[in-house]
Amino acid sequence: MRRKAWALSSVLKVFVSKVDPNYAQPWQMCPQRTSTGSAFVLDTAKRTILTNSHVVSNATAVYVRRPGAAKKFKAEVVCDGKVCDLALLTVREDAFWAAELRGLEFVDVPELQSPIAVAGYPVGGDNISVTKGIVSRIALVRYSAAARLLSIQIDAAINPGNSGGPAFVDLEGGKVAGVAFSKNISSSTDNIGYIIPYRVVKHFLAEADLHGSYRGVPSPGFLTQDLENPAQRAFLKMPDGVSGVMVVKTDPLSGAHGSVLKNDVVLEVDGVPVADDGTVEFREDERLEFTHIIRAKHIGEQVHLKLLREGQELCVSYPLRAKDHLVPVLDAVDAVPSYFIVGGLVFAPLSSPFLEMVFGGGGGRRSRRADIPVPVLAALNQNKTRKGQQVVLLVQVLAHEINHGYRYSVVPCESINGRRLHSLRHLTHLVDTCDQPFLNFGLEGGRLITLATSEVRAAGPQILLTNAISSDRSPDMLLPKPDDEDWDAAGAWDDDDERAAGGLGGAGDSDLE
């Protein structure tokens, strides 16, 4: 019992107060709320504690408490990895580490049917809880809107509050298989929980040690489809006994662009053969999607591909980059609550956090796609064609006599005074420097909003005062134009050219489901 006690004494309860950004009304924040989670001591020498990112995300105050103790100690977030849902904490007070604490040790992915014990502080009580189960499956799971990563499926109970707690394969020895982070809440499933394996944790810790922050995971830079149809294989001149997947799109801003072409067949990734269904061998009788090999690498590393192009085999290599989404997917990673108000028209960049808050009820719930306007939904499957490009939305109209008759909401704004928009900051610049008598905002579908420039500038302070808004723009709109963004490349607006180009951005893939 004493051997078990030392491992459980390293499992901590986390108390968090947090204030989330409000993407629906970005000039203000959401109300403060409190929550609890779990964590465990990782390294007593470095004074590091591991938990989930979603436990401490947007925290204003974090405290941790040891099992059986009454005092809470103030903790700090050292590194936050939203993409892999992991975070490092530390406690500065020496008194916390004076107790008998030992860091828990990770093991590699356990075999199927290995026993698992999940420790943490789920709802229903204040003391530590331990639930038992087995390893059910090894699979790729969506950690966030940015990536699907390796995970371990277990049948031990994981409930709210368990997040960030350790999943032991050997409780007496303090051996940990992973970090509890989610469960399947579908009404048609039972006892499906997921833990983050050591391979993902190791990637996160290496990033934190080398860079002091988490840069995310790399993207392949291309989208593929399976090659199981005989006619399609014959069309691509694939010899018998050769397997692979066909490239259908490449990301214009990725390292793959130019090295990998449409209709190439990916035969191998880093020397590992790819099957016709897009999988590679993981362990005996277990297969995973080939993308897990790429996402296990670090940004900047090289990936080596064997391709079949026009019946000829060739090898290519290129440096991996994180995907630069046209529609940002994660708050504080590639999305921030930006806005610009002109003549009562509220403009903001399209992002997944915005859709979750407006169409999904907020609170981190996934957006309901059926409620999202089709032009906005279409942008989710497009790639950036220029650095810094954004989809600018007219979010709402703050009623005033100068904008009477305009009742649009959540509709893309594509141009102003005949200039194609590059980003929200570009729109802000064009409005601020406008010397024409009218401001003509071109919306999706050919609709037009016209405001008198002089009336807009005269009525601006009154509109802000009426709606209790302190500024007509978010702080990031005051920053100078980035040197690596070419606003002039957006060019003049032409409806025919835009339809030929495919809409708001280049045709591409999206990691959103």
Side-chain angles (χ1 to χ4, degrees), residues 2 118 131 143 159-160 180 219 232 237 286 291 355 364 379 397 424 444 447 452:
R2 290 183 60 83
V118 177
T131 56
Y143 282 49
N159 292 298
S219 167
Q232 194 167 46
K237 303 177 182 178
E286 293 177 282
T291 54
L355 295 178
V397 179
L424 182 62
E444 183 277 331
R447 291 168 288 183

Side-chain angles (χ1 to χ4, degrees), residues 314-346:
L314 70 155
C315 296
V316 300
S317 301
Y318 57 90
L320 292 169
R321 305 173 188 168
K323 184 171 178 62
D324 191 2
H325 295 271
L326 175 65
V327 179
V329 296
L330 287 176
D331 170 54
V333 175
D334 57 356
V336 293
S338 305
Y339 73 93
F340 175 57
I341 302 174
V342 52
L345 309 181
V346 181

Side-chain angles (χ1 to χ4, degrees), residues 222-265:
F222 56 86
L223 180 67
T224 63
Q225 75 173 53
D226 298 346
L227 276 180
E228 298 178 303
N229 183 272
Q232 194 167 46
R233 290 174 54 86
F235 170 74
L236 296 171
K237 303 177 182 178
M238 292 185 64
D240 293 337
V242 174
S243 64
V245 289
M246 183 178 72
V247 176
V248 295
K249 297 173 184 175
T250 60
D251 184 346
L253 299 184
S254 71
H257 190 65
S259 297
V260 181
L261 305 180
K262 182 178 180 180
N263 290 346
D264 282 353
V265 179

Side-chain angles (χ1 to χ4, degrees), residues 240-450:
D240 293 337
V242 174
S243 64
V245 289
M246 183 178 72
V247 176
V248 295
K249 297 173 184 175
T250 60
D251 184 346
L253 299 184
S254 71
H257 190 65
S259 297
V260 181
L261 305 180
K262 182 178 180 180
N263 290 346
D264 282 353
V265 179
V266 179
L267 305 178
E268 295 181 4
V269 177
D270 283 348
V272 180
V274 180
D276 292 330
D277 63 352
T279 62
V280 295
E281 185 175 357
F282 177 65
R283 292 187 304 202
E284 185 180 0
D285 298 328
E286 293 177 282
R287 301 189 68 85
L288 295 173
E289 298 168 30
F290 78 90
T291 54
H292 97 90
I293 297 177
I294 295 175
R295 298 198 186 279
K297 291 175 169 288
H298 293 270
I299 293 171
E301 289 185 353
Q302 295 276 330
V303 64
H304 306 280
L305 304 179
K306 178 185 282 190
L307 304 176
L308 183 70
R309 181 178 298 167
E310 295 294 333
Q312 301 296 319
E313 291 187 2
L314 70 155
C315 296
V316 300
S317 301
Y318 57 90
L320 292 169
R321 305 173 188 168
K323 184 171 178 62
D324 191 2
H325 295 271
L326 175 65
V327 179
V329 296
L330 287 176
D331 170 54
V333 175
D334 57 356
V336 293
S338 305
Y339 73 93
F340 175 57
I341 302 174
V342 52
L345 309 181
V346 181
F347 294 97
L350 174 62
S351 67
S352 292
F354 170 84
L355 295 178
E356 290 171 1
M357 187 155 288
V358 175
F359 296 102
R365 291 170 50 191
R366 300 291 295 273
S367 57
R368 298 188 297 271
R369 286 204 163 200
D371 298 334
I372 302 175
V374 173
V376 175
L377 195 60
L380 299 180
N381 290 322
Q382 295 173 344
N383 283 323
K384 282 185 178 180
T385 57
R386 301 181 301 276
K387 184 73 174 179
Q389 185 181 7
Q390 292 178 324
V391 177
V392 180
L393 292 181
L394 172 58
V395 176
Q396 61 176 307
V397 179
L398 304 176
H400 190 274
E401 60 181 339
I402 67 170
N403 57 46
H404 176 69
Y406 302 131
R407 292 180 292 274
Y408 302 112
S409 64
V410 193
V411 56
C413 180
E414 299 171 327
S415 67
I416 176 173
N417 289 347
R419 290 288 304 277
R420 186 194 308 268
L421 291 179
H422 176 84
S423 62
L424 182 62
R425 195 178 300 175
H426 185 208
L427 169 65
T428 304
H429 169 74
L430 293 176
V431 170
D432 289 344
T433 58
C434 179
D435 57 2
Q436 301 179 32
F438 295 98
L439 291 167
N440 288 293
F441 300 91
L443 306 183
E444 183 277 331
R447 291 168 288 183
L448 190 68
I449 289 180
T450 302

Side-chain angles (χ1 to χ4, degrees), residues 448-490:
L448 190 68
I449 289 180
T450 302
L451 298 177
T453 305
S454 59
E455 292 179 354
V456 164
R457 289 171 177 163
Q462 180 60 45
I463 293 174
L464 297 179
L465 181 62
T466 301
N467 292 276
I469 302 174
S470 60
S471 175
D472 68 340
R473 65 196 70 189
S474 54
D476 57 320
M477 292 299 104
L478 299 173
L479 299 175
K481 173 185 173 296
D483 293 334
D484 59 352
E485 293 185 15
D486 186 2
W487 292 354
D488 292 333

